[in-house]
Amino acid sequence: GQRGFTITGDERFLEPLNLGESNLPPHLERLVEIAKQDSFMLRRGMDLRAQAELSLNHQRHIVAVRRAEGGRAASDVVSTGEGRRIMDTIRNSVADLRGMRADLVSDNGGEARARMLRASLTSLVAGILGVGAGVFAFWLARIMLGHQERERILMEAKLQAERSSQEKTVFLANMSHEI
């Protein structure tokens, strides 16, 4: 934006610069918020914020020179290469941050994978214990049913023995009476 204004003097070319001045701070704040857990990355984000302010100040200076002293004076400020050096520094910082972000994501990804593995193993162990408890309960139920069946058979045998004993007593009483 500032370059077009420097060449032409047309204020419309400053719209991207003005838009960038208003949109950049929230993005930088978001970067700081994301990086606040990592002091090294936070420092890099703060450095980037400072470099962005330097770049904006440099562009504001060029715009002010163009307005006050004309296109030739603004062109002389641009030809010093200061703006290019600032932007190269910003590009390098952004590239470093992107690399750090990939490392940060993969480190967090490794931690998340480790937590997922622990959770999966915990679920697997809980499932195995649940199945084991179910099998144990089934085994106990089978034993209980076997005991109940034997108890029923013993009760029937006892009742049969009591009936036989009763019949024997009646038979002996009748025989004794007959004799």
Side-chain angles (χ1 to χ4, degrees), residues 43-95:
R43 193 171 344 114
R44 296 301 277 268
M46 298 300 283
D47 289 345
L48 179 62
R49 177 191 282 173
Q51 292 166 0
E53 270 305 312
L54 280 174
S55 176
L56 287 173
N57 286 338
H58 181 71
Q59 291 181 28
R60 287 181 198 122
H61 173 69
I62 293 171
V63 169
V65 168
R66 172 67 166 103
R67 285 181 179 149
E69 300 174 27
R72 184 73 189 142
S75 179
D76 290 342
V77 173
V78 170
S79 65
T80 65
E82 180 64 20
R84 182 183 180 110
R85 281 190 293 277
I86 293 171
M87 282 308 298
D88 286 343
T89 304
I90 289 173
R91 286 183 190 101
N92 289 336
S93 293
V94 169

Side-chain angles (χ1 to χ4, degrees), residues 75-166:
S75 179
D76 290 342
V77 173
V78 170
S79 65
T80 65
E82 180 64 20
R84 182 183 180 110
R85 281 190 293 277
I86 293 171
M87 282 308 298
D88 286 343
T89 304
I90 289 173
R91 286 183 190 101
N92 289 336
S93 293
V94 169
D96 289 346
L97 282 171
R98 283 189 176 140
M100 289 171 63
R101 181 175 172 254
D103 292 344
L104 185 66
V105 169
S106 57
D107 287 348
N108 285 345
E111 187 178 315
R113 283 189 296 277
R115 278 193 241 129
M116 286 297 291
L117 179 61
R118 271 195 313 270
S120 296
L121 290 175
T122 302
S123 296
L124 179 64
V125 168
I128 290 170
L129 288 174
V131 168
V135 168
F136 182 68
F138 180 73
W139 178 72
L140 286 176
R142 296 279 313 234
I143 288 174
M144 184 184 71
L145 287 174
H147 284 286
Q148 286 177 346
E149 181 65 21
R150 282 191 290 280
E151 187 178 326
R152 186 186 60 77
I153 291 171
L154 287 173
M155 284 300 281
E156 287 178 3
K158 178 184 171 193
L159 289 174
Q160 182 65 29
E162 286 177 353
R163 266 187 267 142
S164 294
S165 176
Q166 183 73 2

Side-chain angles (χ1 to χ4, degrees), residues 168-178:
K168 181 178 104 178
T169 303
V170 169
F171 176 74
L172 287 175
N174 281 343
M175 286 304 264
S176 166
H177 181 64
E178 292 288 324

